[in-house]
């Protein structure tokens, strides 16, 4: 195949490109410039898609003997990922920018351009497995459960999966990838993995959002509506948060309280007991299927609501209102805006963005 290898400058994408070359494919490397801040540099494991990363990707391509280009996707990234991140927080939801980047940049904008240029597939260093099943290509978990990234790839559609290539899916551990990079003479063999949100490299999400959303004082209330404190901006709070609440009224039972809900229209934060974080049902109108769509009605599945959360058995319902999911045991601390990925064993069925939740604990409990 003619393969476009997305090379982030890290060890995973470098080894993925190397394996594509070794498999006999015609490979071209490309690094995506996602920021126009020319002085952006990496600090340890913080940040990605920096000048340093672009140089590391180029050196890896040179070692592999493949052509290499840098494509400027900064405007698309700003509009489709960064602006979406800010808008979601303004709406009181908790977004996942990595999901949006995969959905709108790596496997939409990049893949579209690759196909236009005559490439058969985009290759990345994601840990996930592709299987050609009876109904087309399927997305499955990686062999290494600790590195499995099928959750953040759950937004991919059947058409996109038909043009993807994940050479690392069957790799038993990350240590094997690093050892292979060392043996191939790739300078990124021991480079730290990226953490946190790539466009907030200092990790101060609250401060970053305050500069863009603005700080406006509001009330913190309990589940009955009684005011128990104040805050400087609802955007700074997420469901499940315990610290930094600055509550002036202690709970009747003296136990800690947690953020249960963020209401952006009234700039209000709702807090309550730990057990009130239990969620009996989630639902969403925005969904997609990683292959053949399920038939309308109920179907059994497992659901994962965070990148490293354990999947839980559940019943899903597909109807004209969207997708509703009822877990066998309540979820813990689910926030609107999060993504729920549905699985059938190791296979990804699809995903939904959570719009609505139902607490497992009544208000008067």
């Amino acid at each position: 195949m003619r393969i476009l290898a997305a090379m982030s400058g890290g060890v995973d994408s470098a080894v993925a490109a190397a394996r594509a070359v070794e498999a006999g494919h015609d490979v071209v490397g490309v690094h995506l410039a996602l920021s126009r801040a020319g002085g952006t540099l990496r600090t340890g494991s913080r940040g990605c898609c920096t000048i340093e990363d672009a140089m590391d990707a180029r050196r890896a391509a040179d070692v592999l003997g493949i052509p290499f280009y840098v494509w400027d996707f900064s405007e698309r990234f700003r509009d489709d990922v960064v602006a979406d991140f800010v808008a979601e927080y303004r709406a009181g939801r908790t977004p996942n920018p990595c999901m949006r980047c995969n959905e709108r940049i790596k496997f939409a904008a990049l893949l579209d351009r690759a196909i236009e240029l005559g490439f058969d597939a985009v290759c990345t260093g994601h840990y996930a497995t592709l299987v050609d099943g009876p109904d087309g290509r399927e997305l499955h978990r990686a062999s290494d459960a600790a590195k499995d990234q099928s959750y953040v790839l759950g937004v991919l559609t059947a058409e996109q999966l038909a043009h993807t290539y994940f050479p690392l899916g069957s790799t038993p551990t990350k240590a094997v990838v690093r050892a292979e990079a060392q043996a191939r003479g790739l300078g990124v063999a021991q480079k730290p993995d990226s953490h946190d949100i790539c466009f907030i490299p200092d990790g101060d999400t609250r401060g970053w959002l305050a500069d863009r959303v603005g700080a406006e004082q509001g009330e913190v209330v309990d589940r009955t509506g009684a005011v128990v404190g104040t805050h400087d901006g609802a955007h700074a709070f997420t469901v499940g948060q315990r610290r930094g609440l600055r509550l002036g009224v202690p709970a009747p039972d003296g136990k800690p309280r947690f953020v249960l809900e963020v209401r952006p229209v009234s700039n209000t934060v709702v807090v309550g007991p730990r057990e009130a974080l239990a969620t009996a049902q989630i639902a969403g109108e925005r969904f997609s299927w990683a292959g053949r769509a399920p038939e309308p009605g109920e179907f059994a599945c497992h659901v994962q609501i965070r990148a490293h959360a354990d999947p839980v058995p559940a019943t899903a319902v597909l109807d004209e209102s969207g997708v509703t999911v009822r877990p066998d045991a309540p979820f813990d601390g689910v926030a609107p805006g999060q993504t729920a990925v549905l699985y059938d064993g190791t296979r990804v069925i699809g995903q939904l963005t959570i719009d609505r939740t139902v607490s497992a604990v009544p208000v008067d409990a």
Side-chain angles (χ1 to χ4, degrees):
M1 294 189 295
R2 191 158 182 247
I3 299 289
L4 184 67
M7 303 181 71
S8 67
V11 62
D12 292 328
S13 61
V15 170
R19 291 185 180 182
V21 172
E22 190 171 65
H25 300 299
D26 178 10
V27 182
V28 174
V30 62
H31 178 82
L32 302 185
L34 302 181
S35 171
R36 293 188 176 180
T40 302
L41 292 172
R42 169 184 284 270
T43 303
S45 62
R46 292 189 181 275
C48 73
C49 310
T50 65
I51 292 174
E52 179 184 339
D53 293 317
M55 293 188 295
D56 285 342
R58 181 176 293 279
R59 283 189 285 266
D62 288 343
V63 171
L64 300 177
I66 61 174
F68 178 82
Y69 301 91
V70 175
W71 288 355
D72 182 2
F73 275 37
S74 58
E75 187 172 336
R76 181 75 180 261
F77 184 79
R78 180 198 65 202
D79 293 343
D80 287 356
V81 179
V82 180
D84 174 82
F85 183 80
V86 174
E88 287 291 281
Y89 265 101
R90 280 200 178 109
R93 296 187 288 265
T94 303
N96 186 322
C98 294
M99 303 286 283
R100 296 290 83 78
C101 187
N102 284 334
E103 178 186 25
R104 301 175 183 179
I105 304 299
K106 294 174 184 173
F107 298 97
L110 176 62
L111 181 56
D112 288 347
R113 183 178 294 186
I115 292 173
E116 287 175 2
L117 293 174
F119 289 94
D120 298 300
V122 165
C123 166
T124 72
H126 285 100
Y127 288 79
T129 306
L130 294 171
V131 175
D132 289 325
D135 297 313
R137 182 161 290 183
E138 300 173 350
L139 175 64
H140 286 253
R141 292 190 183 277
S143 297
D144 182 1
K147 293 297 295 180
D148 174 57
Q149 292 176 295
S150 61
Y151 172 85
V152 295
L153 297 168
V155 291
L156 302 190
T157 65
E159 183 177 356
Q160 291 168 330
L161 290 172
H163 297 282
T164 58
Y165 184 44
F166 300 138
L168 304 188
S170 61
T171 306
T173 66
K174 179 63 175 274
V176 171
V177 172
R178 291 197 181 280
E180 183 177 333
Q182 190 74 42
R184 292 180 182 276
L186 297 170
V188 293
Q190 300 306 320
K191 186 174 180 178
D193 292 338
S194 296
H195 298 293
D196 299 316
I197 300 170
C198 68
F199 51 87
I200 311 178
D202 64 1
D204 183 14
T205 302
R206 177 178 293 194
W208 189 91
L209 283 168
D211 291 340
R212 290 154 180 82
V213 177
E216 181 181 353
Q217 193 173 81
E219 295 178 339
V220 180
V221 302
D222 64 17
R223 299 183 85 195
T224 68
V227 178
V228 296
T230 60
H231 63 77
D232 293 326
H235 66 271
F237 297 86
T238 57
V239 171
Q241 180 178 332
R242 173 187 172 185
R243 300 186 184 280
L245 302 185
R246 300 187 313 177
L247 302 180
V249 179
D253 59 6
K255 293 181 179 180
R257 283 181 286 201
F258 297 76
V259 174
L260 305 180
E261 186 181 353
V262 177
R263 298 172 178 170
V265 175
S266 60
N267 195 30
T268 303
V269 175
V270 182
V271 297
R274 176 75 175 79
E275 55 268 24
L277 288 169
T279 302
Q281 181 174 294
I282 59 176
E285 299 175 1
R286 294 172 290 172
F287 57 88
S288 62
W289 307 115
R292 182 175 58 84
E295 296 293 329
E298 287 192 357
F299 58 94
C301 61
H302 278 72
V303 182
Q304 187 170 329
I305 58 172
R306 296 181 183 87
H308 302 294
D310 292 328
V312 299
T315 299
V317 178
L318 172 63
D319 57 28
E320 64 278 358
S321 67
V323 180
T324 301
V325 179
R326 296 187 298 272
D328 289 4
F331 295 121
D332 184 39
V334 180
Q338 285 180 243
T339 301
V341 176
L342 313 184
Y343 289 85
D344 176 11
T346 63
R347 181 177 69 87
V348 174
I349 301 172
Q351 61 81 35
L352 65 141
T353 299
I354 300 169
D355 297 323
R356 306 176 301 282
T357 64
V358 176
S359 176
V361 180
V363 173
D364 56 356

